[in-house]
Amino acid sequence: TAAWLIAVAGRTEFRERLGELLLASQGPYAGQAYCVALATFGTPADADLLVAYLDRYLRRPDLSYDQEAALGALLLLDARLGADRTAGFLTPGGLWQQWTDGSPGRDRDAPDPCRAYIGQLCAVAEQSARHGKAKR
């Protein structure tokens, strides 16, 4: 809940703490809101945190935590920033493929749906922020 409020309020002073919590990954799904917040902040520093997470957790095919959310958020940031930080993860034989191959049921072709889903969540946060400002 706190990460959603941080995203809606644009409280970038919590960037580093969100990155720490994301990297700590105490279990599945905990970091999705952290990824949304970082994507809404939209800076290279936020992309760096997502890259660090993916670099660590895509190497762990035994864990299904927030890899898809982080990849979706990084894809969004790449588009906004004109960067291509996801390329290294998505190359044939790269970490994304290794992670998806490590467990049946993971979809190697999931990057586009991941980006779309996180994009929808970011749109909710951004719309809530606009709505909150309009009420003031």
Side-chain angles (χ1 to χ4, degrees):
T1 302
W4 275 100
L5 295 172
I6 289 167
V8 169
R11 302 286 303 269
T12 58
E13 66 268 24
F14 291 104
R15 172 182 293 115
E16 292 305 317
R17 182 65 180 139
L18 291 174
E20 291 169 4
L21 290 168
L22 182 62
L23 280 173
S25 282
Q26 303 271 325
Y29 312 112
Q32 179 175 286
Y34 307 147
C35 294
V36 169
L38 294 171
T40 61
F41 296 163
T43 70
D46 304 301
D48 289 343
L49 294 168
L50 293 165
V51 166
Y53 175 85
L54 289 168
D55 191 52
R56 178 181 294 176
Y57 286 98
L58 287 179
R59 296 176 191 278
R60 296 288 312 266
D62 58 314
L63 301 177
S64 288
Y65 285 177
D66 299 294
Q67 290 91 330
E68 292 166 329
L71 184 70
L74 187 58
L75 284 164
L76 285 174
L77 287 177
D78 274 355
R80 286 185 193 158
L81 299 170
D84 196 15
R85 294 172 182 239
T86 54
F89 298 116
L90 298 177
T91 59
L95 288 177
W96 179 257
Q97 182 178 349
Q98 292 172 35
W99 184 73
T100 58
D101 287 350
S103 176
R106 290 191 189 135
D107 183 4
R108 183 182 305 166
D109 299 321
D112 287 331
C114 293
R115 180 182 57 223
Y117 180 65
I118 295 300
Q120 290 172 341
L121 295 178
C122 288
V124 169
E126 291 162 358
Q127 183 179 19
S128 297
R130 285 192 301 274
H131 182 71
K133 288 177 184 174
K135 285 193 155 198
R136 287 185 208 155

